[in-house]
Amino acid sequence: MDLVLKVRQYGAFGVYKPDGEPIQLGAKHQALLALLITAEEGVRTRAFLEHTLWSFAQPEQAKASLRTALSTLRKHIGPSASSALMANRERVTLDLRMIEIEADTTRGAFMEGFELPHEHVFAEWLSEMRSQTASAAPAPLDPPWAPRDRSRVVLDELLPSIAVLPFVQRSPGGSTAPLGAILSEELSRQLSRSQAFSVTSYMASRQFSLDDVRPAEVSSVAGVSYLVSGSVFINGHDFIAQIDLHDSHREKVIWSREFRGTLSDLLMGQSGPLRDATSQIGQTVVGEAVRLVSFRPLSNLANHTLLMASIVMMQSKHVDQFEKSNEILDTLMEREMHHPVVLTWAGIWQVMRVQKGLSADRRKRTLMAENLANAALAQDPAFSLAHTLKGMISSYLTFEFDSAQYSYDKALQDNPNEALALLLKGATRAMQNHPDEGMRLTEAARKLTPLGPQRYYFNSLAASVSLAARDYDRAIELADQSLQENDSYPSTLRTKAIALQMSGRGDEARDVVESLMRVTPDFSLSRYMQEHAAAFTPSGPDWASALREAGVPE
């Protein structure tokens, strides 16, 4: 195979034609080549390159920037060398067999003296490469900041982007005191852990202050849709924080609250008020997404707005809202036909259609959900939410509980904090006659509930696990919490009716069954024994008997 390019990676970074003539490249193009020549077999995902080289940009901007950079790089290196550079929708590949890479470490450090201003993600990768090569260790395939699971990188592309700006500490100490920075950094961590946002590193966002720049200016530089700012002051052993959430494009404060907490909990990273703030910020952004899709054409809305709205409306007790969520997902599918996140949520919608009692063709929904799950995993074999969908299908549509556990384990191996996988694994373990383990897993999942509107679903399944453990009081308590947020979810009504009947509260159970029959008029014991996962568990006959006694027709 012909040699088309030479690259010197130690000492001053250089790119040359085969005859040694230097090729002048800009800093971004040099960085792009460096990332490719250090990759295994010269292959990097587009998501990796976009995140590493355009970390401040919004996903759509980063995609466009990478396309432009690849086009310009091809022009600079010429048609012959361009034959070694290939790209598709997911990956960029440099054929290393056609490249001579000089690896003489005596010339100096890796890319000595090179830097890419304002790109902290690339800077971290470059620093790690230099330290690795300095110690003669093999170069890592991925930078140390990369998430453990690829799913988080994939998901970040469709999450609303947010940055936490430095909080101002009111006297004593003023702006030079550290409490504002500590609170801002901890809030950044809490938002990141929520898995509801793509959070700009606080190390990057701390350079901004709304006293000096407008929200739109921060957005244009950092590529974020939302900003969090505020102030904090000390009151004895406590702190009082005023927290504001800005829509950075409209330059409008859309949420503002005051939170009080102890300094000791804040310094230990265990602040309950900051967790509450994170939850309220998430619910506000979700509410904005639903508001926007209600009056704006879907074609005019950003991908992250469409995704958030579809997830929320999927949980709605109103059928028209549930159907609207599918329309939104169809719009996303047109834009991102092969995106695993979109494919997976479209599959979850199919399963939930059956769970909500809205589909008479169970087999059709099962096939559609399976096809969408397989398509998502074909794009990203490690995507934890897609493995969770596979488990969901096995648990609730085909009743293959062992297969379901395998899928949940795959999801949790990739992402131990995948809340839905923890929840569904717990529910399935209970159906396999391991209710104690099921309760432990579902309680852990409830603590990780990513979005407020999903809580009814988490509480509903946790109630069914308590029912399997014969903890009827807890089952009723959790069912009531679920029904407060969605009073027409059939599974919750069934669980509550059974728990009431089996705890000797037959009159109350019959009232709940009346509500159940209003929601699903065609529900019967024969359908329950044929179509519901619980009927295939050791407790199934007892639960069917309780439903019969509470008034469910044969």
Side-chain angles (χ1 to χ4, degrees):
M1 189 166 290
D2 294 337
L3 179 70
V4 297
L5 213 59
K6 293 182 179 180
V7 179
R8 185 172 66 208
Q9 57 181 342
Y10 293 100
F13 188 82
V15 181
Y16 307 89
K17 294 179 179 179
D19 62 4
E21 180 184 346
I23 300 174
Q24 299 300 319
L25 296 176
K28 274 283 170 74
H29 300 111
Q30 293 181 57
L32 176 58
L33 268 180
L35 290 166
L36 292 171
I37 66 171
T38 54
E40 184 176 14
E41 298 182 354
V43 179
R44 294 284 190 189
T45 65
R46 282 183 177 270
F48 175 92
L49 295 172
E50 290 158 9
H51 182 64
T52 306
L53 296 175
W54 292 277
S55 57
F56 278 132
Q58 294 193 48
E60 290 81 2
Q61 294 172 328
K63 290 177 188 292
S65 296
L66 178 58
R67 286 195 297 269
T68 301
L70 288 169
S71 175
T72 307
L73 179 60
R74 287 189 176 100
K75 291 178 182 177
H76 284 308
I77 62 178
S80 178
S82 293
S83 63
L85 184 62
M86 297 157 285
N88 58 26
R89 280 185 64 89
E90 288 80 36
R91 293 174 175 81
V92 178
T93 303
L94 185 66
D95 191 339
L96 299 182
R97 297 171 300 173
M98 304 171 71
I99 313 296
E100 180 183 301
I101 302 172
E102 185 181 292
D104 183 3
T105 57
T106 63
R107 285 186 173 273
F110 181 81
M111 299 186 78
E112 187 173 76
F114 184 89
E115 62 179 29
L116 208 54
H118 312 302
E119 293 294 349
H120 70 284
V121 176
F122 179 81
E124 291 176 19
W125 174 84
L126 183 58
S127 175
E128 179 65 16
M129 287 294 294
R130 286 170 177 164
S131 63
Q132 290 284 345
T133 53
S135 60
L141 300 181
D142 289 309
W145 46 262
R148 184 181 183 277
D149 60 296
R150 285 289 181 186
S151 63
R152 181 66 192 185
V153 175
V154 171
L155 187 57
D156 275 351
E157 298 174 10
L158 282 175
L159 290 177
S161 52
I162 193 167
V164 180
L165 305 186
F167 275 51
V168 176
Q169 180 173 341
R170 305 305 180 190
S171 59
S175 60
T176 61
L179 183 60
I182 292 171
L183 190 146
S184 301
E185 191 165 2
E186 183 58 27
L187 186 55
S188 291
R189 291 194 189 99
Q190 294 279 0
L191 288 166
S192 183
R193 289 172 191 151
S194 75
Q195 300 194 30
F197 296 96
S198 174
V199 183
T200 297
S201 165
Y202 179 66
M203 296 295 287
S205 60
R206 68 180 180 178
Q207 64 184 295
F208 301 110
S209 169
L210 291 186
D211 290 338
D212 305 319
V213 294
R214 292 165 45 210
E217 293 172 327
V218 179
S219 175
S220 66
V221 175
V224 294
S225 301
Y226 298 96
L227 297 172
V228 178
S229 66
S231 60
V232 60
F233 67 90
I234 296 173
N235 181 20
H237 297 291
D238 297 335
F239 71 87
I240 301 175
Q242 181 69 40
I243 304 178
D244 302 325
L245 176 65
H246 307 254
D247 181 321
S248 58
H249 300 302
R250 291 188 293 155
E251 297 194 316
K252 178 181 178 182
V253 176
I254 59 175
W255 172 90
S256 182
R257 296 287 187 280
E258 182 178 279
F259 293 88
R260 297 169 180 252
T262 65
L263 287 169
S264 57
D265 285 348
L266 174 62
L267 296 175
M268 292 174 66
Q270 299 175 352
S271 177
L274 285 194
R275 284 195 295 273
D276 292 341
T278 298
S279 176
Q280 291 185 35
I281 289 170
Q283 291 179 44
T284 300
V285 171
V286 162
E288 278 288 292
V290 174
R291 186 184 68 83
L292 288 171
V293 301
S294 68
F295 69 88
R296 284 194 192 176
L298 299 182
S299 59
N300 293 350
L301 296 174
N303 285 355
H304 69 77
T305 299
L306 295 178
L307 179 67
M308 297 292 281
S310 67
I311 293 172
V312 173
M313 296 170 79
M314 199 182 298
Q315 319 298 328
S316 175
K317 65 181 180 181
H318 302 294
V319 175
D320 59 337
Q321 293 276 293
F322 181 75
E323 297 294 349
K324 178 74 172 180
S325 71
N326 192 44
E327 178 188 342
I328 296 170
L329 285 168
D330 285 344
T331 301
L332 268 174
M333 292 273 278
E334 291 173 4
R335 297 184 189 178
E336 299 283 353
M337 183 183 301
H338 302 294
H339 201 296
V341 173
V342 180
L343 291 165
T344 300
W345 279 108
I348 291 173
W349 187 90
Q350 298 293 336
V351 178
M352 293 193 73
R353 185 172 180 83
V354 175
Q355 290 183 309
K356 286 173 176 280
L358 299 175
S359 175
D361 194 338
R362 186 187 197 89
R363 185 172 180 276
K364 175 183 176 182
R365 300 299 167 188
T366 301
L367 289 173
M368 293 178 73
E370 286 178 339
N371 288 339
L372 287 161
N374 291 333
L377 289 170
Q379 297 300 318
D380 186 348
F383 186 35
S384 60
L385 191 61
H387 284 294
T388 303
L389 169 58
K390 293 279 283 186
M392 199 177 188
I393 295 166
S394 297
S395 288
Y396 296 100
L397 298 185
T398 63
F399 314 130
E400 297 168 334
F401 300 141
D402 289 340
S403 295
Q405 290 293 352
Y406 174 78
S407 294
Y408 300 140
D409 287 342
K410 287 278 287 182
L412 293 168
Q413 178 184 359
D414 194 55
N415 180 7
N417 292 319
E418 183 63 71
L420 188 59
L422 277 171
L423 177 79
L424 295 170
K425 179 175 181 177
T428 304
R429 290 302 286 162
M431 288 189 281
Q432 292 176 304
N433 210 24
H434 297 282
D436 291 341
E437 182 183 355
M439 289 182 72
R440 178 178 60 80
L441 289 167
T442 51
E443 283 303 308
R446 289 177 69 239
K447 293 177 182 177
L448 293 169
T449 308
L451 293 174
Q454 289 182 294
R455 276 199 296 266
Y456 88 89
Y457 186 73
F458 279 59
N459 286 333
S460 177
L461 285 187
S464 70
V465 172
S466 293
L467 180 64
R470 300 184 181 276
D471 187 346
Y472 302 130
D473 289 342
R474 179 62 173 162
I476 294 167
E477 177 188 356
L478 288 166
D480 283 339
Q481 290 179 23
S482 177
L483 291 169
Q484 284 176 6
E485 300 185 50
N486 186 340
D487 60 6
S488 60
Y489 189 52
S491 178
T492 315
L493 292 167
R494 288 194 302 268
T495 296
K496 183 176 180 180
I498 294 168
L500 287 167
Q501 186 66 41
M502 297 186 80
S503 57
R505 298 161 63 178
D507 290 343
E508 294 174 76
R510 281 186 283 277
D511 289 342
V512 175
V513 165
E514 288 181 9
S515 298
L516 173 64
M517 299 309 297
R518 283 195 296 270
V519 173
T520 52
D522 55 351
F523 180 65
S524 65
L525 287 173
S526 59
R527 285 195 62 180
Y528 178 72
M529 297 304 292
Q530 292 173 7
E531 298 179 0
H532 296 279
F536 293 82
T537 71
S539 301
D542 291 339
W543 293 354
S545 177
L547 288 171
R548 181 182 294 109
E549 292 171 12
V552 174
E554 294 290 338

